[in-house]
Amino acid sequence: MEKLICMFPLLLLLLCPPFAFAGHDYGQALSKSILFFEAQRSGYLPHNQRVTWRAHSGLQDGKASGVDLVGGYYDAGDNVKFGLPMAFTVTMMSWSIIEYGKQMAASGELGHAMEAVKWGTDYFIKAHPQPNVLYGEVGDGNTDHYCWQRPEDMTTDRHAYKIDPSNPGSDLAGETAAAMAAASIVFRRSNPAYAAELLRHAYQLFDFADKYRGKYDGSITVAQKYYRSISGYNDELLWAAAWLYQASNNQFYLDYLGRNGDSMGGTGWSMTEFGWDVKYAGVQTLVAKFLMQGKAGRHAPVFERYQQKAESFMCSCLGKSSRNVQKTPGGLIFRQRWNNMQFVTSASFLATVYSDYLASSGRNLRCNSGNVPPAELLSLAKSQVDYLLGDNPRATSYMVGYGSNFPQRVHHRGSSIVSFKDNPSFVSCRGGYATWFSSKRSDPNLLTGAVVGGPDAYDDFADERDNYEQTEPATYNNAPLIGILARLSGGHGGYNQLLPVVVPAPKPVVTKPQPSPNPKTTPSPASWSGPISIEHKMTASWVANRRTYYRYSTVVTNKSNKSLNSLNLSISKLYGPIWGLTKSGDSYTFPSWLSSLSAGKSLEFVYIHSAAPADVSVANYVLA
């Protein structure tokens, strides 16, 4: 990229911008920004892991508490799993896919994006073992920050912290409910059983958050120094209700937004920020969408007040409000010195989706200075992303691995220490500081796609590993960015963002061929490799008493050339009535009207419950 140099300093401000660059490859930036999440994975890494310098880590997480908490994401450059920012990350990744999944599919990145979401939701399922129990942190920042170690070498405390009715956390439970609900929309078409399971957890988590009120950092006090909930929990309760309504179309949650909008601040707060702590601007944007979709009904007056606050946020970002966001001389939205880029990507995402909502409804944005066409919001988002990618006074890309001038000494334990695979020698707690943290050399492992904290209020930036305010990345920096990049890369395509959401099925992800077992006949837990096949599918769903119920049909076929005279099936995770089998002790056998199953013949049984498919397997059988 070439910098445009102006030769006449006195005419600089009048005739020529201080910096101008060639266009960006948003598709490449999208691919890299999604890849970053693979570097942040905790747990057993899959065979198709693309960030190959990482290895398994945190394999004992939760064990001391009697629960499996292996998996999930490290939030930033440390090795702690913080539940609140992780949940916000998953919510924003899901929202990005919901709005711009078609563009991601066209670029071949939808499958990777959905895998990134599922890595988080798989962990949240584990972290929510009971309706009113949620594990919200593994490890603690104090002991973790004392050490500089690869995740694979961790010797720090891995204590698991939870919330429950006696130790509530409405903000944490509410944000996790939002994440599960949003993700259920992502998987609704490609994996309906998994989507149903996510929605079931979301319902329970919302009820838990709403019934047992309290700030999570009052219960998980070790989080206070790192992710204190300044805004409280009302914004998360409204946020969760908005996502549950979008996921379930259940009127209860729409009524909740209408009934509580004034008292919980949804219609009162005029925000100039949006992020993992303060969700009001996001709630207001979603409710404005419901209003434009014609779904407000009797709540229209309240929803119009939500929309006024949403538009106040948009106008403040554009500099057209009575209280505008601060910007650097180079034009970057600036909120704070420590990881400012999180606010840039989150605000830019809201501007992007709201631009498309307005365009779909044929409306303009209403600011103090008058009506503003939707295209101005998209232009704002594009300007912020272009700055992030290198169109700035320093000509620096703040995405690692994008462009020719990007941060080389990232505040990140894994990337700054030689890969465990290249040198498995143990890196001690303090030894990591002496050998690797203090090194002035570039990182041995490229943290591709990571968006670092970025410059200060004057566009200055110091590429130093100990400059954590500016060089540390975070998952919640990238999560909203993938949506904007997909939109800028794929264009609008004539989509009406107010129509019902349909996330396309992802194309198969092409990876390096590796030996793998034969594929199962279905993606459900029902499988058997012997002479008896089990095929499992969902045939119907409906909502009753705020809960979604599913009818599952399971077909058992005798594939042998002999008669099946005896059969015992083991069925676990069954939470409703079953028809077509006879209960026999701890297993199930032929129904009363069937004594055997001839060669090539099948039997069908069905059951109904409000969860993912039951686990069905063959306990024993007799062929004659």
Side-chain angles (χ1 to χ4, degrees):
M1 292 180 286
E2 296 183 356
K3 191 172 182 179
L4 181 62
I5 301 176
C6 300
M7 303 303 295
F8 303 97
L10 293 178
L11 299 178
L12 178 66
L13 295 177
L14 294 176
L15 301 179
C16 179
F19 44 91
F21 298 81
H24 289 286
D25 186 341
Y26 299 119
Q28 180 193 127
L30 172 64
S31 299
K32 292 178 184 292
S33 65
I34 295 173
L35 183 62
F36 166 65
F37 291 100
E38 296 193 21
Q40 298 302 107
R41 286 172 169 172
S42 179
Y44 290 97
L45 302 186
H47 73 277
N48 61 348
Q49 170 81 8
R50 295 178 295 161
V51 179
T52 56
W53 50 264
R54 281 294 322 283
H56 305 321
S57 63
L59 303 184
Q60 301 300 313
D61 284 358
K63 187 175 181 179
S65 301
V67 62
D68 176 9
L69 295 176
V70 176
Y73 287 111
Y74 303 119
D75 71 305
D78 52 30
N79 300 326
V80 184
K81 295 192 295 202
F82 292 101
L84 184 60
M86 192 193 307
F88 179 70
T89 294
V90 171
T91 306
M92 294 308 297
M93 281 197 290
S94 298
W95 197 358
S96 292
I97 295 170
I98 289 165
E99 300 290 352
Y100 304 115
K102 292 183 175 69
Q103 289 91 328
M104 292 182 194
S107 68
E109 288 297 333
L110 179 59
H112 291 136
M114 292 174 70
E115 286 178 359
V117 170
K118 193 171 186 294
W119 193 268
T121 52
D122 283 351
Y123 172 78
F124 292 142
I125 290 172
K126 293 179 176 183
H128 183 222
Q130 299 174 39
N132 294 333
V133 174
L134 176 64
Y135 284 85
E137 184 172 328
V138 178
D140 75 88
N142 294 331
T143 58
D144 184 88
H145 288 195
Y146 181 75
C147 299
W148 194 264
Q149 291 176 291
R150 299 173 294 205
E152 296 82 1
D153 285 325
M154 278 188 293
T155 57
T156 51
D157 177 49
R158 301 301 288 174
H159 185 82
Y161 301 87
K162 68 180 180 180
I163 55 173
D164 56 30
S166 300
N167 303 280
S170 301
D171 31 20
L172 173 62
E175 181 59 64
T176 311
M180 300 296 244
S184 76
I185 302 172
V186 170
F187 293 102
R188 181 182 292 161
R189 178 180 174 186
S190 61
N191 193 342
Y194 187 66
E197 183 176 11
L198 295 179
L199 195 54
R200 177 174 63 85
H201 282 279
Y203 286 140
Q204 292 178 350
L205 285 163
F206 179 84
D207 290 344
F208 173 35
D210 194 37
K211 182 177 180 180
Y212 300 100
R213 302 278 184 96
K215 285 176 55 177
Y216 94 104
D217 57 16
S219 299
I220 303 178
T221 56
V222 293
Q224 290 181 0
K225 185 177 177 181
Y226 304 96
Y227 290 101
R228 179 185 292 273
S229 180
I230 303 296
S231 69
Y233 53 76
N234 282 335
D235 52 336
E236 276 87 7
L237 289 174
L238 294 173
W239 177 243
W243 278 111
L244 275 160
Y245 175 69
Q246 183 149 301
S248 68
N249 205 34
N250 189 319
Q251 185 68 28
F252 172 84
Y253 299 103
L254 195 75
D255 292 341
Y256 189 97
L257 290 164
R259 189 172 63 250
N260 296 292
D262 293 336
S263 62
M264 288 186 169
T267 63
W269 285 104
S270 293
M271 305 306 305
T272 56
E273 69 174 278
F274 172 56
W276 60 262
D277 179 27
V278 187
K279 313 293 165 39
Y280 281 115
V283 176
Q284 291 155 358
T285 301
L286 280 175
V287 174
K289 177 185 181 181
F290 301 155
L291 181 66
M292 286 186 268
Q293 288 174 316
K295 295 181 176 180
R298 61 187 173 88
H299 301 300
V302 178
F303 282 19
E304 287 170 1
R305 295 197 289 275
Y306 275 102
Q307 185 177 36
Q308 289 168 5
K309 298 305 180 183
E311 300 209 338
S312 173
F313 175 83
M314 306 301 164
C315 295
S316 72
C317 291
L318 288 169
K320 297 177 182 289
S321 177
S322 58
R323 188 166 69 102
N324 296 318
V325 299
Q326 180 184 347
K327 291 182 181 176
T328 68
L332 185 72
I333 291 172
F334 187 81
R335 175 69 185 177
Q336 65 184 37
R337 179 178 169 85
W338 190 339
N339 189 14
N340 179 67
M341 208 60 83
Q342 62 177 305
F343 301 108
V344 174
T345 59
S346 294
S348 298
F349 178 85
L350 292 186
T352 300
V353 296
Y354 201 69
S355 171
D356 285 340
Y357 296 162
L358 289 173
S360 296
S361 64
R363 294 183 59 254
N364 288 323
L365 175 66
R366 296 162 295 188
C367 295
N368 291 345
S369 59
N371 288 343
V372 179
E376 282 198 32
L377 280 173
L378 187 61
S379 294
L380 168 71
K382 181 179 183 299
S383 73
Q384 298 301 298
V385 171
D386 287 347
Y387 183 111
L388 186 157
L389 295 177
D391 290 9
N392 55 64
R394 292 179 50 85
T396 297
S397 165
Y398 294 104
M399 177 184 287
V400 177
Y402 181 89
S404 58
N405 181 26
F406 54 82
Q408 302 290 321
R409 287 163 286 278
V410 181
H411 185 90
H412 188 276
R413 286 158 175 76
S415 67
S416 67
I417 303 174
V418 64
S419 171
F420 182 84
K421 294 181 178 179
D422 292 336
N423 184 354
S425 299
F426 176 71
V427 176
S428 68
C429 168
R430 302 301 290 176
Y433 272 110
T435 304
W436 299 102
F437 177 80
S438 60
S439 172
K440 302 301 180 184
R441 292 174 294 178
S442 298
D443 293 335
N445 308 306
L446 190 65
L447 194 62
T448 302
V451 174
V452 298
D456 64 15
Y458 305 99
D459 300 300
D460 291 328
F461 176 80
D463 185 11
E464 298 167 357
R465 193 166 292 115
D466 62 355
N467 182 20
Y468 55 85
E469 292 182 334
Q470 294 188 318
T471 63
E472 186 172 20
T475 56
Y476 43 89
N477 295 6
N478 282 57
L481 180 62
I482 66 175
I484 315 169
L485 290 170
R487 174 65 172 84
L488 294 175
S489 174
H492 187 264
Y495 304 129
N496 185 330
Q497 301 298 124
L498 301 181
L499 292 177
V501 174
V502 179
V503 175
K507 296 178 181 178
V509 177
V510 179
T511 57
K512 182 179 178 181
Q514 297 192 26
S516 60
N518 292 329
K520 297 178 180 179
T521 57
T522 72
S524 76
S527 61
W528 174 251
S529 59
I532 302 164
S533 71
I534 302 174
E535 295 184 1
H536 203 150
K537 63 182 179 180
M538 183 182 72
T539 59
S541 65
W542 62 93
V543 176
N545 297 324
R546 294 170 49 198
R547 177 161 293 182
T548 304
Y549 291 88
Y550 304 90
R551 180 187 187 274
Y552 295 100
S553 166
T554 303
V555 177
V556 181
T557 302
N558 178 9
K559 299 190 299 180
S560 74
N561 56 5
K562 299 179 180 180
S563 176
L564 180 63
N565 287 352
S566 176
L567 172 68
N568 286 92
L569 297 175
S570 172
I571 304 179
S572 61
K573 298 181 180 179
L574 176 64
Y575 309 110
I578 187 169
W579 296 271
L581 293 176
T582 299
K583 185 75 182 291
S584 177
D586 293 330
S587 62
Y588 293 82
T589 187
F590 290 134
S592 57
W593 60 85
L594 190 67
S595 59
S596 64
L597 197 62
S598 302
K601 298 297 183 180
S602 302
L603 70 86
E604 179 187 23
F605 66 88
V606 300
Y607 59 92
I608 295 173
H609 67 186
S610 59
D615 290 343
V616 181
S617 61
V618 176
N620 56 70
Y621 63 97
V622 175
L623 295 173

